[in-house]
Amino acid sequence: MNFEPTDEQELLRRTVYEFARTRVAPVAQELDREARFPYDLVAEMAELGLMGIPIPEEYGGAGADTVSYAIAIEELTRIDSSVAITVAAHTSLGTMPIYLFGSEEQKQEWLPRLASGEGLAAFGLTEPDAGSDAGATRTRAEQRDGSFIVNGTKMFITNAGTEISACVTITARTGDDEISNLIVPNGTPGYEISPPLHKLGWRASDTRELVFKDCAVPEANLLGRRGHGFAQFLEILDGGRISVAAMGVGLAQGAYDLAFAYAQERQQFGKPIARFQAVQFALADMATEIEAGRQLVYRAAWLKDRGKPFALAAAQAKLYTGLLSNRAVNASLQIHGGYGFTDEFAISRLYRDQKILEIGEGTNEVQRMVIAKGLGL
Ligand SMILES: Cc1cc2nc3c(=O)[nH]c(=O)nc-3n(C[C@H](O)[C@H](O)[C@H](O)COP(=O)(O)OP(=O)(O)OC[C@H]3O[C@@H](n4cnc5c(N)ncnc54)[C@H](O)[C@@H]3O)c2cc1C
């Protein structure tokens, strides 16, 4: 057992945190207030090689391991969740399906563009009536004259509607008992993208409803084997959970950082509030839980990197860090008192950004279902 990160992992952590602190932090509040997508920051992250961290170098990625990827997502979220989810959804949900299930031709066509950050990718699983029950997809793709004709609606899709969005991989019913995945390039006639949704948090990230009306997608865009879409999306979600769990740790760490600093500055009863034991205990609990959550996330990533079963560990990490980040933002805001309730203090944004971590990529209840199954129940 070795708890020591490698030199490369440490360097990546420092690089990403430095980028987040110096480039993201100064604009995070403004991007959130204006619900503005961070194009400039995405371009800078592309330059840093952060848009394809776990994608092999031969396809234009950084060729790093899952632990490194989790560290990068954690450090971004420590400062801003909208920027972090843009990278995480692009990588784990948008690019990974093509890397894992694409033909060599599809990989050559899409991965260099996506892993370099030139284009963004999205994954369209959720529908208005198929959320936790994602297998209940109603979108249909009928094979006709060399194309799949797609009709249906996808809901809450991240990264699909930006100016640099390149494609969305969707699940669709290609038969009554058959789900397949299709790559739909942006700009395909019949693929309509709604205006951005107004959200409680993750306001600078792009979330849309997608509508497909007789949208003809070439047969060549079928991802992997026909009818394998259900198994494919379960595998994608298992991996994606590691990055959302990393977001939980990062968000909790960010909330802790803010509370730690504020508690030294804020004076009441003639001394810094950090001198009161109640405040110290809140910070002590946060630091302890964050460390526990971090180990769960790194272990899940480590298992994945070694080709071992990781679905149970990923669901446990996702559930625990969702709950932990909820407690952490709450405790941090409490330490900020009334000032934390204003937009002047970053904790109010972190507080709003937290809730989705208990909903996206499977709700807490869905994680418990996955964990129970993993336990043999
Ligand atoms: C900002 C944002 C970004 C997102 N990005 C994407 C994306 O990029 N791609 C994508 O495909 N999806 C995306 N989603 C969708 C997200 O994954 C779903 O919202 C999530 O899976 C839950 O589905 P639902 O919202 O339909 O809730 P429901 O499934 O309707 O759940 C409602 C409640 O019922 C509970 N519930 C449901 N079934 C059970 C059960 N069997 N037992 C116990 N409780 C149950 C749930 O836990 C929840 O509390 C995003 C969502 C948001 C808000």
Side-chain angles (χ1 to χ4, degrees), residues 265-312:
E265 287 160 22
R266 177 66 175 168
Q267 303 241 353
Q268 286 294 282
F269 299 96
K271 51 178 131 171
I273 59 170
R275 301 270 291 278
F276 300 123
Q277 198 176 47
V279 173
Q280 292 176 359
F281 280 12
L283 288 165
D285 284 351
M286 282 163 84
T288 305
E289 288 194 49
I290 289 166
E291 210 44 65
R294 184 173 284 128
Q295 301 311 324
L296 282 179
V297 175
Y298 293 177
R299 181 170 166 273
W302 180 88
L303 287 170
K304 183 170 189 289
D305 283 333
R306 267 146 199 79
K308 292 174 188 275
F310 68 93
L312 172 62

Side-chain angles (χ1 to χ4, degrees), residues 123 125-126 131-132 156-158 202 356 359 361 363 365 369:
F123 186 56
L125 173 68
T126 306
S132 299
F156 302 129
I157 309 307
T158 306
W202 287 8
I356 184 63
I359 295 169
E361 297 235 11
T363 62
E365 293 72 28
M369 284 156 61

Side-chain angles (χ1 to χ4, degrees), residues 195-254:
L197 299 173
H198 298 289
K199 309 187 293 284
L200 174 71
W202 287 8
R203 287 189 172 166
S205 93
D206 183 77
T207 318
R208 316 258 184 165
E209 183 180 26
L210 314 179
V211 178
F212 301 89
K213 286 187 190 156
D214 291 327
C215 174
V217 178
E219 272 174 0
N221 287 20
L222 178 71
L223 195 61
R225 286 171 55 195
R226 184 175 169 153
H228 283 227
F230 190 80
Q232 288 175 355
F233 83 65
L234 289 182
E235 193 175 333
I236 291 301
L237 292 180
D238 285 341
R241 274 171 197 147
I242 296 176
S243 58
V244 178
M247 289 188 71
V249 174
L251 189 79
Q253 182 67 53

Side-chain angles (χ1 to χ4, degrees), residues 20-92:
R21 199 178 60 78
T22 57
R23 306 295 303 153
V24 182
V27 293
Q29 295 287 89
E30 186 185 321
L31 291 169
D32 174 77
R33 196 178 322 113
E34 296 174 6
R36 186 151 47 84
F37 186 79
Y39 287 104
D40 295 346
L41 295 175
V42 170
E44 287 186 47
M45 290 192 289
E47 292 253 313
L48 286 171
L50 301 181
M51 300 306 286
I53 295 171
I55 304 299
E57 289 175 34
E58 59 175 307
Y59 296 116
D65 58 12
T66 313
V67 173
S68 303
Y69 171 55
I71 288 172
I73 296 298
E74 176 189 337
E75 293 300 326
L76 287 174
T77 318
R78 199 169 157 188
I79 299 295
D80 184 58
S81 292
S82 290
V83 169
I85 187 57
T86 300
V87 178
H90 165 72
T91 308
S92 294

